[in-house]
Amino acid sequence: MKHFLLFTVFFHSLLYSQIENKVDSVTYYSKLASENIKNNNYKEGLSYTQKSIDYCKKNKNIEAQASQTFNLGKIYFDLNLHNDAIELLSKSIVLFNSISKKPNDKVALAYYYISLSCVERKNYILAESSILKTEEIQKKLKIKDKADLIRLQKGVLSKLRGDTALASILFNDIIAKPDSPDLTNSKAEAFYQMGTIEAANNRYNLALNYFNRALELNKETKNLNQKSNILLALSLVYDKLLDKSTAYTYLKKHLNLKESIVLANEEKLGTNDYETFKESQRKKEELLIEKENREKEKADKFSKLISILAIAIISILSLLSLSLYKNNIIRNQTNSLLKEKNNELIAAKNKAEEASKARSEFLSTVSHELRTPLNAINGITHLLLEEHPKKSQMHYLSSLKFSGNYLTNFINDILEINKIESNKLEIEYINFNLKQLLGDIQNSLKEIATINNNKFILKIDSAIPENLIGDPTKLSQIFMNLINNALKFTNNGTVSVFARLRNYQNENATIFFQIIDTGIGIPEDKLKTVFESFSQGSVEINRKFGGTGLGLTIVKKLVRILGGRIRLKSIVGEGSTFSFELNFKVDSKPLLNKVVIKNYNPEIFKDKKILVVEDNKINQMITKKMLTNKAMKCTILDNGEEAIQILKSKAFDMVLMDVHLLGINGTIATQQIREFDTKTPILALTAISLNENREMLLSFGMTDVITKPFVAEDFYSIIAQNITNS
């Protein structure tokens, strides 16, 4: 008895698990829907098909969702609910196309049923475009068995728009074909349609012949709707021939058949059943919309934070540009003074040397002061990305990361502005994807577009090769300046960016770029001076829109360096168009996604004791978090004096020493530490300025250098390498 009970429990659990597997699947719901429809229970058929769609959405199975949406649309079509059929079949087409743009037989069928439903709803324009889509897909798939159905529908549409000659040709093509079971229904319909054409032309005897042939073929197909139409047509023709008795007989048959069709449809799905089903779907949609709104509110809050950080980056960029260009003006004035006063050569030379020293110190200070907050921005972005953010947040964080990386590269270039003036700026020739680069720029500037209620349109010629060779950093600077200006000087308008392939031969591509806005425009007398430094058209524009007036100067120089020429067209009150052409080499090899390969074992970091000497609180927090994320133990100090004292009494595996500290700086502190400790690795943390270089820092006893802002993988790799070497 005991063994029997155990067997019963085991068998029941096994059976239950099998039932669960069957219940929770698309196949299961589809099978139930098919069985109920086969048994004329369309209420349950609709319910199970909708459950199948919901299951597909839950499991993100778009292909199955598209097929089940098509099935639901076909059920509505069979029930003569043509508005619902058009809606669901159109949704299925969108879903299929989201998976692949390749021709699909179900998409062809969906367009076919949409065309039939549109004829019933008297929307002949959509009906005609849909049947042409069906024909186009069938030809691509080389499917010929549906050709007569398409020809029949095209004939019906030709007749409805009054082209009875073309309609007759199409119908007679079908009638002339040999009889076959698959063609019987189409031939019956073709005979019927030809009868209506002859009746409309008052050729009633000929019309009767066509209708009788149609009725004879209809006996084989048992198409009740078609039979009802034929009986009504016969009644009308006999009435025209004044054979009232026969006309009445056929009319009575038509009405009886029509009534039985209505009763059969009501038996399939009652009015109350249909309303109940639609109401339940409406409530589900409302719940889904409510959920999406809650998610949107969360995303909006997060986007505000991103906006603040983006504004901070733009402000830093503007201040940097203004400071450096004013410094260049001072240099030019100093050089002019030297040429004019040869008799004061020695004094002028001393002044030039002092000015050069001041400029170097100024650039060193600006570099350090900009890289420190930029390190905070990039570091916090990296930490947020490692916290596994929501998909809705990834878009904003990726844009922020792109903007931070762009600003880092831009600072490096702007600090070498003298190289631009002396044609010493080096051009990179690396692989990049233009579509991805412009897409990243669009994402990073969407918030700015939203502030002025602007539409931001990006159109890239599909013929442009995927893998170009050029300088993506300088190209990014050009587009960021031009698009920023366009968005800033446009309100409630449109900013469009176009990239078109002008020429492509011998692995060389010429691409034409346009940035078009519908903003305030530029006066004709300012078109030649707008590219000069600190030129913004007028004082009023500067006061209203802000900015340094340096962006277009940078753009012009960079376009020229890359081998192009910037052109400008503008009309006041209508907008401006900036355009230029650039040549690129094309790489025949596919552009591989860069994968960061760690050259260290993460286990090497575990329980390592790291002393961080850093006086910036935000950098302390970021550095500590990055170290503890790799299981390292971190001690924070904010000055060099305390670092010297603690290292005399306590051992650490490594010291991360900021170069610029209050009190004694990092280099002096390192020098003093090396007097009693020559083994502990000391890594310099620095935003390397004009007067700092790797060799100079190493000469003070530092082991290695980590540059701010940190690149996460470089940061960990340098630490791992020095732990291994020690």
Side-chain angles (χ1 to χ4, degrees), residues 427-431 469-471 585:
I427 302 174
E428 286 185 309
Y429 293 96
I430 60 175
N431 284 20
I469 299 175
D471 194 327
K585 290 281 185 182

Side-chain angles (χ1 to χ4, degrees), residues 425-436:
L425 189 67
E426 294 181 359
I427 302 174
E428 286 185 309
Y429 293 96
I430 60 175
N431 284 20
F432 73 102
N433 186 312
L434 179 65
K435 298 172 186 176
Q436 182 180 344

Side-chain angles (χ1 to χ4, degrees), residues 576-602:
S576 304
T577 299
F578 292 84
S579 61
F580 57 94
E581 265 186 17
L582 293 177
N583 295 317
F584 299 91
K585 290 281 185 182
V586 179
D587 193 350
S588 57
K589 298 178 182 178
L591 183 62
L592 299 176
N593 291 327
K594 292 184 179 179
V595 179
V596 177
I597 301 174
K598 297 180 181 178
N599 54 4
Y600 58 85
N601 183 354

Side-chain angles (χ1 to χ4, degrees), residues 299-315 396 400 444 446-448 450-451:
D300 289 343
K301 290 179 181 178
F302 187 78
S303 68
K304 288 180 181 178
L305 174 61
I306 301 300
S307 299
I308 293 170
L309 291 172
I311 291 169
I313 291 173
I314 294 168
S315 301
Y396 299 106
L400 181 58
S444 69
K446 276 185 178 178
E447 294 297 331
I448 300 174
T450 304
I451 291 172

Side-chain angles (χ1 to χ4, degrees), residues 269-281:
L269 183 70
T271 304
N272 291 335
D273 293 336
Y274 172 72
E275 294 296 335
T276 302
F277 177 75
K278 295 299 287 184
E279 179 64 19
S280 69
Q281 291 306 112

Side-chain angles (χ1 to χ4, degrees), residues 498-691:
F498 298 94
R500 299 186 181 92
L501 184 65
R502 276 284 175 87
N503 188 27
Y504 180 28
Q505 58 183 1
N506 300 326
E507 301 300 318
N508 289 288
T510 301
I511 301 176
F512 176 72
F513 299 98
Q514 272 188 317
I515 296 86
I516 304 172
D517 66 67
T518 57
I520 60 173
I522 302 170
E524 188 174 354
D525 60 333
K526 301 291 183 182
L527 292 178
K528 293 183 179 179
T529 61
V530 75
F531 290 102
E532 296 176 1
S533 300
F534 305 104
S535 175
Q536 280 195 314
S538 68
V539 176
E540 289 77 16
I541 290 175
N542 180 269
R543 288 175 178 171
K544 182 176 180 181
F545 294 98
T548 63
L550 301 173
L552 291 180
T553 308
I554 294 172
V555 167
K556 183 178 180 181
K557 291 177 183 295
L558 289 176
V559 171
R560 188 183 69 242
I561 288 170
L562 294 178
R565 179 184 175 189
I566 191 78
R567 291 178 171 82
L568 168 61
K569 293 181 181 179
S570 185
I571 299 175
V572 175
E574 294 184 16
S576 304
T577 299
F578 292 84
S579 61
F580 57 94
E581 265 186 17
L582 293 177
N583 295 317
F584 299 91
K585 290 281 185 182
V586 179
D587 193 350
S588 57
K589 298 178 182 178
L591 183 62
L592 299 176
N593 291 327
K594 292 184 179 179
V595 179
V596 177
I597 301 174
K598 297 180 181 178
N599 54 4
Y600 58 85
N601 183 354
E603 288 297 317
I604 199 173
F605 297 129
K606 191 171 182 181
D607 296 328
K608 289 294 186 289
K609 292 181 287 185
I610 310 296
L611 175 63
V612 177
V613 188
E614 168 66 69
D615 59 357
N616 184 284
K617 298 296 183 184
I618 296 177
N619 285 343
Q620 287 178 3
M621 179 270 291
I622 292 169
T623 308
K624 182 176 181 180
K625 183 67 175 174
M626 291 178 74
L627 293 172
T628 55
N629 279 353
K630 298 295 184 182
M632 288 180 269
K633 297 177 180 178
C634 180
T635 301
I636 302 288
L637 295 177
D638 59 5
N639 64 79
E641 291 87 347
E642 289 183 13
I644 295 168
Q645 294 304 317
I646 197 172
L647 284 166
K648 287 180 178 179
S649 59
K650 189 175 180 180
F652 289 87
D653 296 298
M654 179 174 288
V655 179
L656 301 182
M657 179 76 72
D658 185 30
V659 174
H660 296 278
L661 293 171
L662 297 175
I664 64 171
N665 62 31
T667 55
I668 302 301
T670 301
Q671 247 182 347
Q672 294 184 21
I673 292 168
R674 288 305 183 209
E675 291 176 4
F676 60 86
D677 183 354
T678 59
K679 293 183 178 180
T680 303
I682 301 177
L683 275 58
L685 303 180
T686 179
I688 293 179
S689 64
L690 298 179
N691 289 330

